[in-house]
Amino acid sequence: GENVGLHLPTLSVQEGDNSIINCAYSNSASDYFIWYKQESGKGPQFIIDIRSNMDKRQGQRVTVLLNKTVKHLSLQIAATQPGDSAVYFCAENYNAGNNRKLIWGLGTSLAVNP
Amino acid sequence: SQTIHQWPATLVQPVGSPLSLECTVEGTSNPNLYWYRQAAGRGLQLLFYSVGIGQISSEVPQNLSASRPQDRQFILSSKKLLLSDSGFYLCAWNPAYTGTDTQYFGPGTRLTVL
């Protein structure tokens, strides 16, 4: 994809603060969105998802917000901990003919300072 | 519960040598399977996906090939490795026909071509 050659943006926060990671998605027909967390040397792990008929969904310490008007997705992490340090990816899904297509965002590196 | 395995975990190979990476999924039947490559500090690039035995779709032209000899086995191969094949290779799966697109990732294989 076109994002694979770009360096990851970085977000640095203090332990205990709230983190907000943003993602601009590309396709207005996308109907399902996912956030993944990838720790160093490991595969991405599912965090939370949201369908396009919702604008907010909450999990444990995480909240995903969806703004379809501006094609924007955000992940909020409450009371950020050192274990939250990782790269966070958003992904969007849409119908492409008879197939489902998944587009990955660039990723954001979150660094939590003690 | 479902689990996904990849091996080897790390691999160092000379340029021009062959490659075979294996991915297996347990606890599910007829999964969709995916191979991704991730360069250091970069996003995910989809290489291949498969919706069934012997069915392989290639997303980008490259030096690699994929095969699915069994329902829950996905293999990534090359006849002659290039330096540019170095990277972190991730296998992923998701259930077919469930209406969700969340993919679940394996632990990855770190390939270094020298």
Side-chain angles (χ1 to χ4, degrees), chain A residues 1 3-8 32 34 36 38 41-44 46 49 51 89 93 99-102 104 106, chain B residues 36 38-46 49 59-60 88 90 99-108 110:
Chain A
N3 290 327
V4 297
L6 303 176
H7 282 283
L8 300 174
Y32 180 65
I34 312 166
Y36 285 89
Q38 185 178 24
K42 298 182 180 180
F46 170 87
D49 59 1
R51 297 201 175 275
F89 292 96
N93 294 264
N99 298 315
R100 292 286 287 173
K101 282 289 188 182
L102 177 65
W104 290 86
L106 175 65
Chain B
Y36 288 88
Q38 187 178 34
R42 301 290 200 270
L44 296 165
Q45 181 183 34
L46 179 63
Y49 70 92
E59 288 293 298
V60 292
F88 191 44
L90 289 157
T100 65
D101 303 286
T102 304
Q103 294 180 13
Y104 302 94
F105 286 83
R110 176 79 57 194

Side-chain angles (χ1 to χ4, degrees), chain B residues 30-54:
Chain B
N30 195 31
N32 297 322
L33 295 170
Y34 308 83
W35 277 114
Y36 288 88
R37 176 169 56 205
Q38 187 178 34
R42 301 290 200 270
L44 296 165
Q45 181 183 34
L46 179 63
L47 303 176
F48 301 96
Y49 70 92
S50 171
V51 298
I53 295 174

